[in-house]
Amino acid sequence: MGALHEGHLSLVRKSLSENDLTVVSIFVNPAQFAPHEDLASYPRTLPGDLKLLEAEQVHPATDGPASCEIRTPAAVFVPSVKEMYPSGIVQNVTDQKGTFIEVKGYSHQMEGQTRPTFFRGVATVVTKLFNIIQPTNAYFGQKDVQQAFILKRLVTDLLLSHPTPEHLHIVPTARDPTDGLALSSRNTYLTPDGRKVAPTLRQALLAAEEAWKAGATKEECIAKAKAIVESNKQKATSEELAVELKLDYVEMNDVKTFDVLEPQARRQAEEQVVILSGALYVDKTRLIDNILLGDTTNILD
């Protein structure tokens, strides 16, 4: 959705390294925003985005000299709202007209609890983008892991040929090298004090991961994560930082079904993959992150 950062660019580079032609779509999708959400204020930085994409160059591995081929993005697709929604679009779902796509049974958990119509908007717009571009491969970031898995389900259920499920790639989350904060366009909303405490969610998830690997129950892991958030809230207060932390959720879900794990569930085997995810408000900025617990060999690229 624009406001490109290193996380987006890492997806572009992976595509450039693996494909002859790479198309980047930039579209702030109204259908992903509920009436109370930040559509109007969402960062739009198209001129800067285009400069970043123009600067991207990859020398793919070849049998000949690397200089014989330099790949750059072949096209940037920047459609208008009218082009993407010929019947019109409003943020209130009950007032929308036209054709929309829902992935039933996979959209109400995790992020779907707080944003119940979000994945309806994602599934609809990505289907349109796939129909327009017909990509052989498509690349999505792990930071929005539920979105990526839902889209794999979508292309499977709709029998799409471009891309097929095995050609929809999930790329590990790009992070700040100093404190591990997941890169996000919404990070630009953070105040200086907010940026200091923004890694709290990452720290909480890492504590839960450590407990899970040590044999703790899901309930115990979640408690570890919540304790980190509470500790950081108290630390921010003691340091007189002008920031408010509020945990939205921390949860553990089965990677295939998205079903919530039972409170007394424990790690069974490395082959078992569990989504450990959460959302945290830093003032009014909502940050999300996740860790995949278990063997991700066949999940992440």
Side-chain angles (χ1 to χ4, degrees), residues 85-247:
Y85 293 97
S87 298
I89 185 69
V90 295
Q91 286 179 255
N92 193 331
V93 168
T94 58
D95 295 331
Q96 290 174 356
K97 295 181 179 179
T99 304
F100 294 86
I101 295 175
E102 295 185 53
V103 183
K104 293 289 189 179
Y106 297 87
S107 301
H108 63 277
Q109 310 91 332
M110 293 177 278
E111 284 297 285
Q113 292 184 86
T114 303
R115 310 180 72 188
T117 63
F118 173 73
F119 291 114
R120 178 179 185 267
V122 171
T124 299
V125 78
V126 173
T127 300
K128 292 170 183 273
L129 293 170
F130 285 168
N131 285 338
I132 294 165
I133 306 299
Q134 298 187 26
T136 303
N137 293 288
Y139 298 84
F140 294 86
Q142 181 194 342
K143 184 176 76 68
D144 299 295
V145 72
Q146 186 177 7
Q147 168 181 283
F149 284 130
I150 284 175
L151 293 177
K152 272 189 176 283
R153 172 57 51 189
L154 182 150
V155 300
T156 300
D157 289 352
L158 293 185
L159 307 178
L160 294 189
S161 60
H162 295 82
T164 55
E166 61 270 21
H167 288 111
L168 194 153
H169 306 282
I170 305 175
V171 181
T173 302
R175 299 184 179 279
D176 186 291
T178 59
D179 58 19
L181 178 67
L183 301 186
S184 170
S185 301
R186 286 191 168 90
N187 291 353
T188 59
Y189 296 158
L190 296 170
T191 65
D193 282 353
R195 180 61 185 83
K196 290 178 182 178
V197 300
T200 293
L201 180 58
R202 173 67 171 168
Q203 295 164 7
L205 296 181
L206 288 173
E209 177 188 32
E210 183 179 5
W212 181 254
K213 289 181 176 179
T217 66
K218 174 237 175 156
E219 186 175 47
E220 293 167 337
C221 294
I222 299 299
K224 290 280 188 180
K226 290 181 177 179
I228 293 293
V229 175
E230 187 59 35
S231 175
N232 282 11
K233 286 173 66 174
Q234 294 176 7
K235 183 179 179 183
T237 299
S238 67
E239 294 179 357
E240 298 184 345
L241 298 180
V243 64
E244 181 181 356
L245 290 176
K246 180 183 177 183
L247 184 65

Side-chain angles (χ1 to χ4, degrees), residues 26-56:
I26 296 179
F27 179 66
V28 180
N29 179 28
Q32 290 174 213
F33 294 81
H36 67 281
E37 293 182 325
D38 57 347
L39 175 61
S41 62
Y42 193 86
R44 292 166 172 81
T45 58
L46 183 59
D49 293 346
L50 296 178
K51 288 182 179 179
L52 289 173
L53 293 173
E54 288 172 0
E56 286 299 322

